[in-house]
DNA sequence: CAATAATAGTTGCCTTAGCAACTATATTAT
DNA sequence: ATAATATAGTTGCTAAGGCAACTATTATTG
């Protein structure tokens, strides 16, 4: 029977290691993992996401999204354009420079995913994802109720 | 089939929510979650752990452990005593004050664990823990090899 | 035994992220 | 239409953790 300590250890370890691997892969591109996360999302959804949408999909608050987008703009990977139908919002879109390195970024993330799944049968992994989602839901419900 | 994005979302969400719940429970005791993590470990292993051991068990670097222990010493929850057999190391032990609130701390962590497992049959949860451990191992191996 | 290497901690600097307070625009209700 | 409220973002402050460089003790090895 797993203890809570073991459970946390695994959880923390997974996220930390994954981030370190991503950081190492992106370093030559002068990108951090937080920046990579955003680019990775924009690469599939590249008709332009608002920062609001990014906070949803990345499960990160709007403050860090704002700052990371700042940094990406500074590095020339992303453009902030006012949303045509809502003057409060921006549309964040990739620049040429970002599209050019798109494949490297996707490789980095997909590579980590391969490592994660290594040696785990498809069906088992699917089960894992479902259970994790359940756990996330449990905690979210508890937090809100509180 | 789960995408890497969904998988990360769940993972991040679990850790974030859990930490927020712990923070909320510990706030009345004037403790942060990082401090709580250490106290929780000392409560079961309370013949005194070195900071080195704490870094292992918490999966956190020695720098943050050093600073968090500092802070716990400052708040009077923990004592740093030189290790009798090794003048480099400390033994970190709980004070009376910490023992007094021990039950509250354990309740906080066990409560979160209850929430995590809610609605998941024992055997399933055990499976989840095993798989997570496997994933952690995969990533760790990949990181070291690199 | 002296020199080198390993271990335990500390400190400075940086990244990531949360919260709260703020601005500016949109929406809703009276 | 005006007032109240909600939404999109920004900024300041703080918590948490990583990395690298440092000190001070062991351990190892020639």
């Amino acid at each position: 029977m797993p203890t809570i300590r073991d459970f946390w250890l695994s959880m923390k370890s997974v996220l930390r290691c994954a981030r370190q691997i991503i950081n190492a892969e992106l370093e030559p591109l002068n990108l951090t993992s937080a920046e990579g996360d955003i680019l990775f999302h924009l690469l599939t959804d590249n008709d332009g996401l608002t920062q609001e949408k990014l906070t949803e999909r990345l499960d990160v608050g709007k403050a860090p999204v704002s700052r990371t987008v700042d940094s990406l703009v500074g590095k020339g990977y992303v453009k902030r354009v006012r949303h045509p139908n809502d003057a409060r919002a921006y549309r964040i879109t990739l620049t040429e420079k970002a599209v050019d390195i798109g494949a490297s970024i996707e490789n980095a993330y997909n590579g980590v995913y391969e490592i994660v799944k290594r040696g785990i049968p498809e069906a088992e992994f699917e089960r894992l994802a479902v259970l994790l989602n359940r756990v996330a839901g449990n905690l979210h419900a508890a937090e809100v109720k509180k």
Side-chain angles (χ1 to χ4, degrees), chain A:
Chain A
M1 181 51 185
T3 69
I4 183 174
R5 277 168 262 253
D6 299 331
F7 185 77
W8 284 130
L9 204 61
S10 297
M11 294 286 295
K12 283 165 63 174
S13 176
V14 166
L15 283 179
R16 193 182 37 66
C17 279
R19 190 161 45 176
Q20 277 169 356
I21 294 173
I22 292 289
N23 265 315
E25 306 258 331
L26 297 185
E27 204 244 282
L29 301 171
N30 185 30
L31 287 169
T32 67
S33 58
E35 292 163 353
D37 288 350
I38 287 182
L39 293 181
F40 185 49
H41 274 262
L42 289 172
L43 278 165
T44 34
D45 234 319
N46 75 39
D47 40 329
L49 289 172
T50 63
Q51 296 185 192
E52 189 68 14
K53 283 287 172 211
L54 283 171
T55 71
E56 265 177 43
R57 308 220 182 154
L58 296 167
D59 189 44
V60 150
K62 41 194 207 162
V65 167
S66 172
R67 281 185 267 251
T68 308
V69 170
D70 271 354
S71 152
L72 283 169
V73 170
K75 291 179 180 177
Y77 284 112
V78 131
K79 272 175 303 199
R80 248 194 198 114
V81 184
R82 276 296 172 192
H83 195 286
N85 311 324
D86 187 343
R88 295 167 296 184
Y90 292 114
R91 271 171 60 188
I92 312 299
T93 55
L94 298 173
T95 62
E96 280 282 316
K97 185 176 173 189
V99 174
D100 287 348
I101 59 164
S104 313
I105 295 177
E106 297 201 316
N107 281 344
Y109 284 85
N110 292 329
V112 169
Y113 204 35
E114 286 312 309
I115 293 168
V116 162
K117 293 189 291 187
R118 193 166 285 168
I120 301 178
E122 181 101 355
E124 288 274 320
F125 188 76
E126 200 141 346
R127 192 82 201 117
L128 167 61
V130 169
L131 287 174
L132 266 184
N133 206 46
R134 170 87 204 215
V135 170
N138 283 346
L139 286 164
H140 192 252
E143 202 193 4
V144 171
K145 195 176 53 196
K146 182 74 190 294

